[in-house]
Amino acid sequence: MTKHERLDAALDDRDLESVWFGRPNAFAWLTGASNVVDREAEVGVAAVGYDGDGLEVVTSNIEADRLREEELDAGVSVSSFAWHETSLAAAVADRAPEPAAADFEVPGFESIEPRRVRQPLTDDDVARYRELGRETASALEAVCRELRPGDAETEVASALRVALSARDIEAPVALVGGAERARTYRHYTPTDAELGGYALVSVTAERGGLHASATRTVAFESALADGALADLRDRHEAARAVEVAALGATRDAAERGGTAGDVFDAIRDAYDRAGHPGEWRRHHQGGAAGFAGREWIARPDADHAVTAPMAYAWNPTVAGAKSEDTVVVADGGFEVLTDTGRWPTTEVSAEGVDAAVSRPDVLVVEE
């Protein structure tokens, strides 16, 4: 089903004449363009509407020419209003066929939740996602290969953002944890602490509204105490096994109409089998990805529908180890999007999963 067909169904189901999207992720989903100027704003500088016939973008005279000439496809109509005379919401209300719904507050409009219409992914979404995933992983791994024990976490995060920016990719999330802080915190927001014996580097990257997440682990053998590398590898292996179990449960749930809660149950069981019961309580486990870092997060009894084709970013952690990539589940298989083919990997299997999935190893740097 195309995006317009999904919106046609939403119009019919709710007896609406038009639907409007002003939040950046939904705007990007429908247009492939960006309506962002201020990244702290919940609503962008333009809204896009669909009335069953085509798209119309409403924006101020400040933005109209730029959006028309640099962001939007030629077939998209653009209407503008004088920035000093009214607001985006009021301008949309003036132009929209009613009754109408919007994903932001518009006087007299109903509310619509865009996450429901942007799942599952379309073929075009997946094609663009492949490029984003590959380039995200390329930037992440290039930075990780240059790491040294004396590097500060903040320096690594800066290098990662630069590497992504050079590829026209934003980084809403860039986490860098050295050996001490990665063991202490699950969200290792970077500080001026040195990496020490090893590093976890995690990113959620965004381009064109799509989001890709990945984590890589680098160990510095000369800076690790005796037995520390083996311990890190054991915990890393446990996290990978849980991630593969999550992917298997995701595929099964998509095939039989299961929910996020079903996948969560499988994740909890996988932690038990890996010898780390209760670790799931220390950090969320991830969930569906797409036009948000997580379209939803799996929790006990969560009723979000598990769909395919869809991207999933599961991120299990085990006391300073983490396994995370963005994977499309489709046609009963797994396609790892954040993969370059240049990082050491191992085929990992899990109970109840009839296929092994290639997962990143700890990269060991010998000095």
Side-chain angles (χ1 to χ4, degrees), residues 71 160 195 202 262 302 326 366:
E71 289 283 352
L160 178 57
L195 298 180
S202 302
D262 297 329
T326 304
E366 299 177 357

Side-chain angles (χ1 to χ4, degrees), residues 182-194:
R183 287 293 297 262
T184 306
Y185 307 109
R186 302 298 160 122
H187 283 156
Y188 27 88
T189 54
T191 70
D192 58 3
E194 294 185 355

